[in-house]
Amino acid sequence: MYEYKAKVLRVIDGDTLEMMIDLGFHTHRVENVRILDYDAPEVKLYKGVTQEEKELGLQAKAYAAEFFSLYPNVTVNTEYDKTGKYGRFLARITVCNEQDECIDYATMMINEGYVKS
């Protein structure tokens, strides 16, 4: 497992983030990261996705965007050194506030009720 500091640039959906990852030695890389252990509702309608799921997916995306506008700097912990089936790196995201109170992003989103049904 590897740990990196990163900045969230954009919320693609509830479980995918575009991030600027600090690789060390003044080297940064922009990557799309898929959150491990969290499956957000879909934000697009396609086969098997209901309008209700899409609405919840858009709410999850909006909640995440608001959250990361307040806490853009995160810690990324990778489980694998390769990408998943859609070319995204798979990772856990931890966010800490000024008092060093840290939360796991996936756990927070699940606790808020933004989960795929």
Side-chain angles (χ1 to χ4, degrees), residues 12-13 15-17 31-35 82-91:
I12 296 170
D13 61 25
D15 58 22
T16 306
L17 307 170
E31 290 289 344
N32 288 342
V33 175
R34 168 74 162 81
I35 309 304
K82 61 182 186 223
T83 58
K85 98 178 186 184
Y86 295 108
R88 302 170 294 187
F89 283 94
L90 307 172

Side-chain angles (χ1 to χ4, degrees), residues 39-58:
D39 194 12
E42 301 299 330
V43 296
K44 295 181 181 176
L45 285 176
Y46 58 87
K47 186 177 179 181
V49 176
T50 64
Q51 185 65 36
E52 181 180 8
E53 182 178 349
K54 177 185 175 188
E55 304 257 340
L56 187 59
L58 292 172

Side-chain angles (χ1 to χ4, degrees), residues 18-37:
E18 179 182 51
M19 309 177 97
M20 173 76 72
I21 302 171
D22 182 351
L23 302 175
F25 300 106
H26 307 289
T27 303
H28 296 81
R29 183 176 175 115
V30 174
E31 290 289 344
N32 288 342
V33 175
R34 168 74 162 81
I35 309 304
L36 277 170
D37 300 328

Side-chain angles (χ1 to χ4, degrees), residues 57-114:
L58 292 172
Q59 290 172 17
K61 179 179 178 178
Y63 185 88
E66 177 67 25
F67 179 78
F68 288 117
S69 74
L70 299 173
Y71 302 102
N73 298 312
V74 301
T75 301
V76 177
N77 289 288
T78 61
E79 289 281 320
Y80 312 102
D81 60 353
K82 61 182 186 223
T83 58
K85 98 178 186 184
Y86 295 108
R88 302 170 294 187
F89 283 94
L90 307 172
R92 286 181 173 68
I93 305 299
T94 305
V95 181
C96 300
N97 64 18
E98 295 80 25
Q99 293 79 29
D100 285 331
E101 299 167 332
C102 300
I103 58 171
D104 175 73
Y105 174 71
T107 301
M108 178 190 74
M109 292 299 279
I110 291 167
N111 289 344
E112 291 294 326
Y114 295 114

